[in-house]
Amino acid sequence: MKAYVFPGQGSQFSGMGKDLYDRSDKAKSLFEKANEILGFDITNVMFTGTDEELKQTKVTQPAIFIHSVVLAKITENFNPDMVAGHSLGEFSALVANGTLSFEDGLKLVSKRALAMQRACEINPSTMAAILGLDDAKVEEICKSISDEIVVAANYNCPGQLVISGSMKGIEIACQKMKEAGAKRALPLPVGGAFHSPLMEPAREELAEAIKSTNFNNPLCPVYQNVNALPATDINIIKENLIAQLTAPVRWTQSVQNMVSDGATEFVECGPGKVLQGLVKKINSASEVMSI
């Protein structure tokens, strides 16, 4: 069985999507439609923008979504048995399996990006990658820091967990992780504590938009970040999508569940190759590739 997986923030690069635009009329019209929906020329930033310009939240999230979805839309024989996306990538996955239209998906991603940006401004906060400690130990250390917010945010693969929280909380946690034997405890260059309670203002803002968006019955299950379980019921999909901003991304568990449900081949659809690497670390027997 074939699983298609969609990347999240961090996989953007200057020139992304230009080859798709040049080779396919369908891609070209989707890129033009994206410019129209967003009200600015995002294709220009994707094709020629600097790293700095691409790093702006209002650009990064829509850019990765557009690249991933256009790639899926112009791929012949695109018939996933199951889909999943890492954080932002869950929205791309939901367009790929027919739950959301391209237009509605893009509008939600744009709202999500701006809401997250505002939440970051309300609560200055950050994230850090913890390498070489098991999940239970990382969770235990996060819980031990009672006067600051620090939580496990991204379960990327065994031995690689990203934590999220207040500036002070992350600083204390990194120190404690190193003392507990972590190989690395590395603060990340991100604008805020994504997938933590500090994203509550963004969750509330996005909840309204998700509730009023039309969701269709999916063509295949989506394994959602919040609980790593397959979903085809649109009410459950909506609830999980709303919960996603303040809950951890259970990527390790999602891939494990997809494998146990029969996935043998994982195809990464979007910029970069980050997810292929993670899938291999989670289950070395899986075949991985990108479109």
Side-chain angles (χ1 to χ4, degrees):
M1 286 174 87
K2 199 179 273 192
Y4 281 83
V5 292
F6 297 83
Q9 219 162 316
S11 50
Q12 69 276 6
F13 62 92
S14 184
M16 62 191 285
K18 180 80 170 73
D19 57 330
L20 309 179
Y21 184 92
D22 290 342
R23 78 167 194 242
S24 158
D25 288 342
K26 188 176 184 182
K28 197 179 235 177
S29 74
L30 288 167
F31 277 113
E32 302 296 354
K33 193 176 275 185
N35 288 339
E36 223 173 277
I37 289 167
L38 295 172
F40 70 96
D41 199 345
I42 193 165
T43 48
N44 192 39
V45 188
M46 288 169 72
F47 301 164
T48 63
T50 62
D51 288 349
E52 213 42 56
E53 288 170 313
L54 276 163
K55 251 199 301 204
Q56 301 169 61
T57 300
K58 73 164 189 171
V59 172
T60 313
Q61 295 196 30
I64 291 165
F65 168 86
I66 293 162
H67 188 288
S68 302
V69 170
V70 168
L71 195 50
K73 294 263 187 205
I74 65 168
T75 296
E76 281 181 35
N77 305 319
F78 181 83
N79 292 312
D81 296 304
M82 50 183 88
V83 294
H86 191 289
S87 188
L88 155 74
E90 190 158 289
F91 289 82
S92 312
L94 288 169
V95 176
N97 79 348
T99 308
L100 285 170
S101 69
F102 173 72
E103 294 84 348
D104 285 341
L106 181 55
K107 284 175 193 165
L108 285 177
V109 164
S110 178
K111 280 183 180 148
R112 180 184 191 265
L114 296 171
M116 286 168 81
Q117 185 62 48
R118 282 190 284 273
C120 294
E121 284 156 15
I122 296 165
N123 291 308
S125 51
T126 192
M127 301 174 86
I130 311 301
L131 306 182
L133 273 188
D134 65 66
D135 293 353
K137 189 68 190 166
V138 174
E139 290 164 352
E140 184 193 311
I141 291 170
C142 288
K143 281 197 184 90
S144 75
I145 303 165
S146 53
D147 43 356
E148 293 287 337
I149 289 177
V150 193
V151 295
N154 295 348
Y155 293 79
N156 284 337
C157 66
Q160 187 188 323
L161 212 167
V162 175
I163 59 171
S164 195
S166 65
M167 296 292 196
K168 184 77 179 143
I170 292 295
E171 194 186 316
I172 298 166
C174 283
Q175 190 52 45
K176 289 191 168 202
M177 301 286 177
K178 285 177 190 160
E179 286 163 10
K183 284 184 196 157
R184 305 278 292 280
L186 197 67
L188 297 174
V190 294
F194 306 138
H195 301 289
S196 84
L198 291 167
M199 283 293 119
E200 183 56 31
R203 190 195 68 80
E204 287 170 13
E205 217 176 304
L206 193 62
E208 288 311 306
I210 287 172
K211 282 174 189 163
S212 59
T213 298
N214 179 52
F215 278 55
N216 307 303
N217 289 319
L219 306 169
C220 69
V222 57
Y223 285 68
Q224 290 190 278
N225 291 177
V226 169
N227 56 12
L229 297 173
T232 50
D233 179 309
I234 55 179
N235 293 318
I236 289 170
I237 291 172
K238 280 190 180 191
E239 273 171 37
N240 289 340
L241 209 51
I242 291 167
Q244 194 218 58
L245 273 185
T246 51
V249 173
R250 299 189 178 279
W251 189 251
T252 302
Q253 300 87 332
S254 297
V255 172
Q256 287 166 340
N257 288 340
M258 291 165 101
V259 169
S260 65
D261 289 344
T264 51
E265 212 176 305
F266 285 81
V267 184
E268 183 162 7
C269 187
K273 294 185 174 178
V274 171
L275 298 183
Q276 291 177 70
L278 295 181
V279 169
K280 268 295 185 201
K281 285 177 181 157
I282 296 163
N283 186 68
S284 58
S286 294
E287 208 179 310
V288 299
M289 65 194 72
S290 55
I291 295 178

